[in-house]
Amino acid sequence: MAAKNSRKSVWRRALNHQPPAPETEPEPAPSSPASADTPEQGSVVQAVLYQDGIRVSSPATLAETYHELREKPAGMAWIGLARPTESELLSLAAEFDLHPLSVEDAMEAHQRPKLERYGETLFVVLRAARYLDAPEEVDFGELHVFVGPDFVITVRHGAAPDLSAVRQRMEESPDLLKLGPEAVLYAILDAVVDGYVPVVSGVQNDIDEIETEVFSGDPEVSRRIYELSREMVEFQRATRPLVGMLHGLMAGFAKYGTDEELQRYLRDVADHVTHTSERVDGFRQALTEILTVNTTLVTQQQNAEMRALAEAGFEQNEEIKKISSWAAILFAPTLVGTIYGMNFDRMPELHWVLGYPFAITLMAIVCTSLYAIFKRKDWL
């Protein structure tokens, strides 16, 4: 117990404004509206104590978890929280001597995947992903993991991943679970990485559909390409740092005396992460090329439409030329006839013997001249 009480000192020095936690949990007053259990009901998913890989108890509150862990020096606590309150995280920090910076990150979320070591405690940030079939999009969640000598704390922000399946799988393998908190961390890493597999398959199907839509001329495909490209950027941010994180863990095998079974386990996870990261990079490249092809096809379609409009306009202009030419030709005799149709008494040509032949000849000359001019200009 003395060793566990001494690990609180760093946290108390870092947060001077926090009062020291008492050795024993005081009995809450019956009239107090804020009991110790109140904030825990909504965020503590499950707290379990293990000894030699076997579940020994499932405390209902954090206070009970602390008390039972102190009584079992060889035990390990696995505490799972979903969107915890600030008071819960401060309670955990005070009990397990968590670094203030890591606690602040766990409170605010929206962190990049990373691996940091604070003394004997590892702080790991992971970005989980799941593929939603109905909207055909990728949903990302965030998971923060604190790994100490005798505890594992998971803080989940989002629906993914489902850590209950990880807990069940580990409890069915007590030989692996008794290797301690590191084994739990590697199981969580494996679950997060395995969760990428259906996402990769779903994205591959989306890309295949997009390629079909691009060549079928779907006008909405550009928006879909953009949205999927943005999701791939997020996916890349989730997977690419994992490669360096896992290689960092593997580099510390000898220094921290990691069990050989866990070493093989982690190498397998690292292989899967590398493969997934390469697939995501390929998806981004493919989407970039598809967007380029789509832009080219849209440009070609627009050019074809403009060419069709230009041809239609040209044909319309030709028709207008013909109509205008015949209108001008027909206007000439109409003009002559209109002039000589005026009922003026004093018109020299009205009583001229050659007036009618002259008018007809004049009409014929004007019409023939106009026809020859328009024909030469290819208007007729």
Side-chain angles (χ1 to χ4, degrees):
M1 182 180 297
K4 291 190 177 182
N5 289 337
S6 65
R7 67 186 176 192
K8 300 180 184 179
S9 58
V10 176
W11 172 256
R12 290 176 180 167
R13 289 197 300 270
L15 295 179
N16 294 325
H17 64 279
Q18 295 293 329
E23 287 293 325
T24 59
E25 297 295 330
E27 292 293 331
S31 59
S32 175
S35 64
D37 295 347
T38 302
E40 296 175 0
Q41 299 302 321
S43 59
V44 177
V45 178
Q46 194 173 24
V48 180
L49 264 68
Y50 300 93
Q51 196 158 15
D52 293 327
I54 305 298
R55 180 195 289 240
V56 293
S57 65
S58 300
T61 65
L62 291 178
E64 293 178 10
T65 304
Y66 304 155
H67 178 71
E68 293 189 24
L69 185 60
R70 293 190 192 112
E71 293 182 346
K72 296 179 176 63
M76 179 189 72
W78 184 351
I79 303 171
L81 302 98
R83 298 185 179 90
T85 62
E86 181 177 351
S87 61
E88 288 172 334
L89 286 175
L90 291 177
S91 173
L92 289 165
E95 176 66 24
F96 296 109
D97 196 21
L98 305 181
H99 195 278
L101 294 178
S102 63
V103 175
E104 182 181 355
D105 289 344
M107 287 180 184
E108 297 179 356
H110 304 292
Q111 304 294 320
R112 64 176 180 81
K114 60 182 178 179
L115 169 67
E116 295 177 345
R117 184 178 290 275
Y118 300 98
E120 294 185 334
T121 302
L122 275 177
F123 176 60
V124 181
V125 179
L126 303 172
R127 294 293 303 278
R130 59 174 182 161
Y131 185 79
L132 305 179
D133 291 323
E136 293 185 336
E137 62 184 25
V138 182
D139 177 52
F140 294 94
E142 191 167 330
L143 180 65
H144 299 219
V145 186
F146 297 89
V147 182
D150 58 353
F151 66 88
V152 176
I153 303 170
T154 59
V155 180
R156 183 160 52 87
H157 297 273
D162 180 14
L163 295 181
S164 61
V166 179
R167 188 187 295 272
Q168 180 179 355
R169 181 160 61 92
M170 292 295 290
E171 290 179 353
E172 292 173 353
S173 304
D175 291 339
L176 183 62
L177 185 57
K178 72 179 181 180
L179 294 177
E182 277 190 334
V184 177
L185 172 62
Y186 296 158
I188 293 173
L189 287 168
D190 185 54
V192 171
V193 174
D194 285 347
Y196 295 152
V197 175
V199 177
V200 170
S201 300
V203 172
Q204 183 64 67
N205 291 334
D206 287 346
I207 291 178
D208 293 341
E209 293 176 359
I210 286 174
E211 288 177 342
T212 302
E213 293 173 359
V214 164
F215 290 101
S216 65
D218 189 340
E220 295 295 327
V221 70
S222 296
R223 180 182 182 88
R224 191 175 180 187
I225 294 173
Y226 171 76
E227 292 175 350
L228 189 57
S229 298
R230 187 171 57 181
E231 290 176 353
M232 288 305 96
V233 171
E234 290 296 321
F235 203 4
Q236 201 171 43
R237 291 172 180 171
T239 57
R240 182 173 289 179
L242 274 180
V243 178
M245 290 168 52
L246 292 173
H247 282 88
L249 284 174
M250 290 189 291
F253 282 164
K255 180 178 180 181
Y256 297 101
T258 304
D259 184 84
E260 290 185 4
E261 181 67 18
L262 293 182
Q263 292 183 26
R264 289 191 290 268
Y265 194 74
L266 184 62
R267 289 192 187 98
D268 181 67
V269 176
D271 290 341
H272 291 170
V273 169
T274 302
H275 177 70
T276 301
S277 180
E278 290 174 353
R279 291 291 302 276
V280 175
D281 292 342
F283 288 156
R284 283 204 63 188
Q285 182 65 30
L287 287 170
T288 301
E289 293 174 356
I290 291 174
L291 185 60
T292 302
V293 172
N294 182 64
T295 303
T296 302
L297 292 176
V298 170
T299 303
Q300 290 177 350
Q301 183 179 2
Q302 291 176 345
N303 291 339
E305 293 174 354
M306 293 296 295
R307 186 164 53 251
L309 289 175
E311 291 175 355
F314 178 77
E315 293 177 358
Q316 187 177 13
N317 289 337
E318 292 299 314
E319 295 297 327
I320 292 175
K321 288 179 181 179
K322 292 178 181 179
I323 294 173
S324 301
S325 300
W326 286 113
I329 292 173
L330 295 176
F331 177 72
T334 303
L335 177 62
V336 175
T338 301
I339 294 175
Y340 286 101
M342 295 185 294
N343 296 321
F344 290 106
D345 291 336
R346 297 182 180 179
M347 289 185 68
E349 294 86 358
L350 287 180
H351 303 288
W352 185 28
V353 176
L354 299 177
Y356 176 73
F358 173 77
I360 296 299
T361 303
L362 180 60
M363 293 178 188
I365 292 173
V366 173
C367 290
T368 302
S369 300
L370 290 175
Y371 181 84
I373 293 172
F374 293 143
K375 191 70 173 177
R376 188 179 300 113
K377 292 181 175 292
D378 291 331
W379 285 29
L380 292 175

